[in-house]
């Protein structure tokens, strides 16, 4: 389990840094006005995201990461944050290039679901990225970050949460599965990250069933 949790942090980091280091081969950028992202909210064990238009109920025995815990994964240099921002996650994410809206997990099984948001306007040429451009970099950075036997399955289009997503699934040493579900929404790249040990996936399946 410790190996799984350590690997999960590497995977999350790969996603957070995904759009920083390569330029997409796409058309010239057009000037567009974008709507600002609004985080979802938890009401007891029900998550609702009015901005994106979806909700789901937390499976039994799962826990919600606090804003303080999400702050540790925030993709921005700590010296760029004011003291107020360091104390309040919603202020800090206004400065960040990317952040996690939520992270939930089952401590017993290691199952994890995260919702990651990246503001593409804060990266050079970022708004020109397609979902596949983005996943290309996630896959490359992931392979560069781990020295493990992995199998990357063919990408597919899936209906999930609030629309069509591009999906990439990775099998890691026949031990665990990592799936990225990516959709471009205005100036944001919205990514769900699903992680589970291959023998434990009932909780993730429950969330997926609610969002399909």
């Amino acid at each position: 389990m410790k190996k799984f949790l350590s690997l999960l942090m590497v995977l999350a980091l790969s996603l957070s840094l995904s759009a920083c280091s390569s330029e997409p081969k796409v058309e010239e950028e057009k000037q567009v006005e974008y709507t600002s992202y609004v985080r979802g909210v938890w009401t007891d064990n029900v998550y609702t995201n009015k901005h994106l238009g979806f909700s789901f109920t937390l499976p039994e025995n799962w826990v919600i990461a606090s804003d303080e815990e999400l702050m540790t994964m925030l993709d921005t240099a700590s010296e760029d944050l004011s003291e107020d921002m360091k104390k309040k996650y919603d202020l800090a994410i206004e400065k960040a290039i990317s952040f996690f809206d939520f992270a939930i997990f089952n401590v017993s099984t290691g199952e994890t679901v995260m919702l990651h948001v990246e503001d593409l306007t804060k990266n050079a040429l970022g708004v020109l990225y397609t979902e596949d451009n983005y996943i290309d970099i996630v896959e490359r950075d992931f392979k560069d970050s781990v020295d493990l036997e992995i199998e990357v399955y063919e990408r597919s289009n899936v209906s999930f949460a609030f629309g069509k997503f591009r999906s990439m699934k990775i099998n890691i040493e026949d031990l665990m599965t990592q799936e990225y579900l990516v959709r471009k929404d205005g100036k944001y790249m919205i990514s769900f990250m699903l992680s589970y040990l291959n023998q434990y996936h009932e909780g993730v399946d429950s969330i997926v069933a609610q969002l399909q």
Side-chain angles (χ1 to χ4, degrees):
M1 183 64 70
K2 289 182 179 179
K3 180 179 180 181
F4 171 80
L5 293 175
S6 297
L7 180 56
L8 180 61
M9 293 308 298
V10 172
L11 300 173
L13 182 60
S14 296
L15 183 60
S16 299
L17 301 178
S18 59
C20 300
S21 55
S22 181
E23 296 184 359
K25 297 179 181 178
V26 290
E27 297 179 357
E28 182 179 354
E29 178 182 359
K30 298 178 181 178
Q31 295 300 315
V32 180
E33 289 191 9
Y34 299 105
T35 302
S36 296
Y37 183 85
V38 180
R39 283 184 73 197
V41 296
W42 288 98
T43 304
D44 296 326
N45 66 338
V46 177
Y47 173 84
T48 302
N49 191 312
K50 293 183 178 180
H51 177 86
L52 297 177
F54 74 96
S55 66
F56 67 91
T57 300
L58 192 72
E60 187 176 356
N61 299 321
W62 282 55
V63 296
I64 304 165
S66 67
D67 280 359
E68 289 77 11
E69 291 168 324
L70 294 177
M71 185 79 80
T72 65
M73 298 187 288
L74 193 62
D75 181 27
T76 188
S78 59
E79 58 266 23
D80 291 338
L81 299 180
S82 68
E83 288 304 315
D84 286 341
M85 288 180 177
K86 291 178 182 178
K87 296 175 183 178
K88 188 169 177 60
Y89 187 64
D90 284 336
L91 289 176
I93 63 177
E94 294 179 4
K95 186 76 173 180
I97 295 172
S98 66
F99 60 90
F100 287 94
D101 184 304
F102 71 77
I104 56 176
F105 52 94
N106 186 317
V107 177
S108 299
T109 65
E111 296 169 277
T112 303
V113 176
M114 297 178 175
L115 174 58
H116 181 266
V117 180
E118 180 149 356
D119 185 344
L120 298 175
T121 64
K122 293 182 179 179
N123 279 315
L125 301 179
V127 294
L128 303 182
Y129 276 73
T130 66
E131 288 91 346
D132 275 309
N133 291 147
Y134 197 82
I135 293 175
D136 285 342
I137 301 171
V138 172
E139 180 180 347
R140 182 202 65 196
D141 289 352
F142 172 76
K143 289 178 177 178
D144 290 344
S145 299
V146 298
D147 185 20
L148 298 170
E149 182 179 342
I150 67 172
E151 178 182 4
V152 181
Y153 296 104
E154 185 176 350
R155 296 176 193 178
S156 61
N157 295 317
V158 299
S159 295
F160 194 75
F162 59 95
K164 295 290 185 181
F165 281 72
R166 196 74 171 134
S167 172
M168 176 180 70
K169 186 179 292 187
I170 301 173
N171 185 326
I172 304 159
E173 293 196 336
D174 288 326
L175 171 67
M176 67 174 289
T177 296
Q178 179 82 18
E179 184 170 3
Y180 297 95
L181 298 160
V182 178
R183 175 184 168 93
K184 190 173 183 178
D185 186 70
K187 69 174 182 175
Y188 300 101
M189 196 68 78
I190 309 297
S191 307
F192 287 88
M193 189 175 76
L194 317 177
S195 304
Y196 51 90
L197 295 171
N198 289 342
Q199 69 267 40
Y200 298 119
H201 52 80
E202 289 81 3
V204 168
D205 290 347
S206 171
I207 294 172
V208 170
Q210 294 181 64
L211 295 178
Q212 285 184 325

